[in-house]
Amino acid sequence: MKRLSQDRMPIYDALQRFKQMRVVPFDVPGHKHGRGNPELTEFLGEKCVSVDVNSMKPLDNLVHPVSVIKEAEELAAEAFHAAHAFFMVNGTTSAVQAMVLSACKKGDKIIMPRNVHRSVINALVLCGAEPVYVNPDVNIDLGISLGMSLKQVEKAITENPDAVAVFVNNPTYYGVCSDLRSIVKLAHAHGMLVLVDEAHGTHFYFGKNMPITAMDAEADMAAVSMHKSGGSLTQSSLLLIGSAMNEGYVRQIINLTQTTSGSYLLLSSLDISRRNLALRGEEIFEHVSELAQYARDEINAIGGFYAFSKEIINGDSVFDFDVTKLSIHTLDVGLAGVEVYDILRDEYDIQIEFGDIGNILAYISLGDRKRDIERLVGALSEIRRLYQRDKAGMLTQEYISPQVVTTPQYAFYAEKESLPLDETEGRVCSEFVMCYPPGIPILAPGERVTKDILRYIKYAKEKGCSLTGPEDIEIKRLNVLKGV
């Protein structure tokens, strides 16, 4: 098969041709190349708003691509070792939901870890599939959930031979990777599809000595956040599929929920970023890996903080580790991760990706510089000196195993009542509660509210976590199933 030229940028080139045509717009968007909204044009720049245009024949159509978008997707598929790549402009959330909706229908079982992003459980609310949870192993010292143990996946498959798919997080937010190749082989031997949330693994396809990619492990579908480590604009993403999937059917599923007005700013950013990674990715991510390791070495020299890496590999639930992830344990300085997160932002003007109960994540990627790392290290050193305290009484566990009572879809749509938080113990929740980021539910619809979960929610609120999900935005009340 003839290889495509990764130097090409079909969408970018089409937009450049379009600008030279001096088209008079009598279509949407109504700002008409920025002329109608001068404040927006001044803020974003004329170059940007002039290509915020509508779908038309010369520019193709994301809903049914036949020319430049089709070619750009073919280039992405080759770059990511996939049978086909779909450009997604509703975020990786839409890619994850498209995977689940393509694989499952009402009543189907899908095997998955419970520490999935809320978008996965949202998809179950939409389609009515039933989750079979594999509770992840936990690193007690760090308080973090790990990957999927192969033995636990095998047990779930044996006990649920009618399941249609296995869903895998790879890597997790913290950089933990499962034994993806073995999970795929096991699932396929039992006639099940494998869907991979690869939101944080774009760089795996281009860097040297990285964990195995979903497509190289022969998974059936993967959701890839190009806007995270790939450099494209926020909300732009890819859905990759293997040769066993029906491309036309997957496109139909995507079109159930994705906008019919695909942003050419997002589409062109996918096109340009794919080219950049295909041509320079190996060099870029070697530099990123070196920066992350430099940061780990410097942070671990401070004392108190622990920036962990490949030393936590155990051959199973931590089969591999993403060395670009700067995950840092904070409890030994007597601070919750979210407290360090807030201090870095409020006192040092440093915005990191997230802080949870016991850890923070500083996202290192292609736009970072050594002096940025040094500023972060210096800030953490000062935080230890100024804010360190005794860690007695601090919560240490990031993951609490759920008690699943009914399906997410049933619980979400069932008759419900709103109760004060303290009165919900023992009841069945009908909504989500989560810290965002990372967006992994503490409670999901259909799960029982326990004393440990209530304690966690109150502690997270006290420490300043950004809690989202419930109807009551102050999280003083929860919706629970009526009479259950």
Side-chain angles (χ1 to χ4, degrees):
M1 182 177 175
K2 184 181 178 182
R3 288 187 61 81
L4 303 174
S5 171
Q6 289 294 330
D7 194 54
R8 284 187 49 69
M9 295 181 290
I11 298 173
Y12 168 84
D13 291 339
L15 287 169
Q16 292 287 57
R17 290 193 298 271
F18 171 79
K19 288 178 71 173
Q20 292 169 5
M21 291 166 63
R22 302 173 65 86
V23 170
V24 178
F26 286 102
D27 62 349
V28 297
H31 61 67
K32 303 298 174 90
H33 302 176
R35 292 193 300 272
N37 195 338
E39 292 84 3
L40 180 68
T41 303
E42 183 181 3
F43 178 61
L44 295 180
E46 187 276 333
K47 283 187 176 180
C48 178
V49 294
S50 69
V51 292
D52 180 35
V53 293
N54 194 22
S55 296
M56 59 189 75
K57 281 189 176 181
L59 298 179
D60 209 355
N61 191 311
L62 183 60
V63 172
H64 187 81
V66 295
S67 58
V68 294
I69 295 176
K70 182 174 186 290
E71 185 183 350
E73 289 185 337
E74 288 170 350
L75 284 161
E78 181 178 274
F80 284 84
H81 317 160
H84 190 79
F86 300 90
F87 280 13
M88 309 295 292
V89 295
N90 285 22
T92 308
T93 286
S94 64
V96 167
Q97 291 177 345
M99 291 197 300
V100 176
L101 295 176
S102 295
C104 303
K105 59 183 184 300
K106 188 174 178 64
D108 283 343
K109 292 180 182 177
I110 177 170
I111 296 166
M112 63 174 67
R114 173 55 179 77
N115 59 325
V116 291
H117 188 264
R118 71 166 293 173
S119 58
V120 184
I121 303 176
N122 283 349
L124 303 184
V125 170
L126 294 174
C127 73
E130 176 186 341
V132 175
Y133 290 128
V134 174
N135 284 321
D137 286 347
V138 173
N139 181 306
I140 300 300
D141 295 330
L142 299 175
I144 65 169
S145 50
L146 304 175
M148 294 175 85
S149 163
L150 188 60
K151 286 184 179 178
Q152 289 179 325
V153 175
E154 187 171 23
K155 182 174 183 287
I157 288 174
T158 301
E159 293 175 354
N160 300 273
D162 54 339
V164 299
V166 177
F167 189 99
V168 188
N169 294 326
N170 205 72
T172 69
Y173 233 125
Y174 301 103
V176 173
C177 297
S178 302
D179 185 357
L180 190 55
R181 192 189 296 276
S182 295
I183 290 171
V184 171
K185 188 175 179 181
L186 178 64
H188 284 175
H190 289 82
M192 299 178 190
L193 298 174
V194 179
L195 320 178
V196 183
D197 182 346
E198 212 169 22
H200 296 275
T202 304
H203 49 291
F204 289 3
Y205 289 89
F206 304 97
K208 286 182 70 176
N209 303 315
M210 294 284 177
I212 192 170
T213 69
M215 290 296 102
D216 288 340
E218 299 184 350
D220 298 286
M221 307 183 81
V224 178
S225 284
M226 276 288 276
H227 69 90
K228 290 187 169 72
S229 60
S232 64
L233 292 179
T234 295
Q235 204 173 307
S236 59
S237 184
L238 295 174
L239 174 59
L240 309 176
I241 63 172
S243 56
M245 300 302 297
N246 181 330
E247 175 191 335
Y249 179 69
V250 174
R251 176 82 68 188
Q252 286 183 322
I253 294 292
I254 290 169
N255 287 340
L256 290 176
T257 56
Q258 181 157 258
T259 179
T260 55
S261 304
S263 164
Y264 280 87
L265 299 177
L266 300 181
L267 293 172
S268 59
S269 82
L270 284 170
D271 198 21
I272 295 166
S273 299
R274 180 271 313 154
R275 177 185 183 273
N276 185 41
L277 296 184
L279 299 183
R280 293 183 283 272
E282 187 174 312
E283 174 190 344
I284 287 169
F285 294 117
E286 182 178 4
H287 177 63
V288 171
S289 298
E290 288 171 356
L291 278 180
Q293 188 56 50
Y294 171 70
R296 272 190 290 273
D297 292 342
E298 294 295 306
I299 290 166
N300 288 333
I302 294 170
F305 294 109
Y306 171 37
F308 50 94
S309 186
K310 281 181 174 283
E311 69 276 4
I312 70 169
I313 290 174
N314 61 22
D316 187 19
S317 55
V318 191
F319 188 78
D320 206 345
F321 187 84
D322 175 12
V323 296
T324 72
K325 294 289 185 295
L326 184 57
S327 301
I328 306 164
H329 188 60
T330 66
L331 289 185
D332 289 338
V333 295
L335 294 170
V338 68
E339 292 177 300
V340 177
Y341 172 97
D342 286 340
I343 294 168
L344 283 169
R345 183 193 61 243
D346 297 341
E347 303 296 329
Y348 296 92
D349 295 328
I350 295 173
Q351 181 63 58
I352 59 171
E353 176 67 12
F354 81 89
D356 59 18
I357 296 301
N359 301 274
I360 59 174
L361 173 68
Y363 216 95
I364 311 297
S365 194
L366 65 176
D368 287 302
R369 303 162 296 183
K370 190 173 182 180
R371 66 175 179 267
D372 300 323
I373 301 294
E374 289 167 348
R375 184 169 164 185
L376 173 63
V377 172
L380 289 173
S381 181
E382 275 198 24
I383 287 170
R384 178 177 182 260
R385 180 173 59 84
L386 296 173
Y387 296 94
Q388 184 170 10
R389 58 177 183 250
D390 193 297
K391 68 175 183 178
M394 300 191 74
L395 278 186
T396 60
Q397 209 62 21
E398 178 264 338
Y399 177 75
I400 301 172
S401 299
Q403 295 180 19
V404 179
V405 178
T406 187
T407 66
Q409 186 184 65
Y410 176 83
F412 188 83
Y413 290 111
E415 193 174 359
K416 62 198 73 172
E417 58 183 329
S418 174
L419 294 178
L421 197 60
D422 286 330
E423 296 177 22
T424 60
E425 185 179 343
R427 302 296 294 272
V428 179
C429 191
S430 69
E431 56 188 352
F432 291 92
V433 183
M434 73 205 81
C435 296
Y436 190 87
I440 297 166
I442 302 165
L443 268 174
E447 296 175 0
R448 195 172 300 284
V449 183
T450 65
K451 185 175 293 185
D452 284 346
I453 286 171
L454 288 175
R455 181 181 175 222
Y456 187 103
I457 291 171
K458 291 174 185 176
Y459 185 84
K461 286 176 69 176
E462 175 192 319
K463 293 299 183 184
C465 285
S466 178
L467 287 167
T468 66
E471 193 174 298
D472 175 18
I473 61 172
E474 295 183 358
I475 329 288
K476 292 179 179 178
R477 304 177 72 85
L478 273 183
N479 286 337
V480 296
L481 297 193
K482 202 161 189 178
V484 182

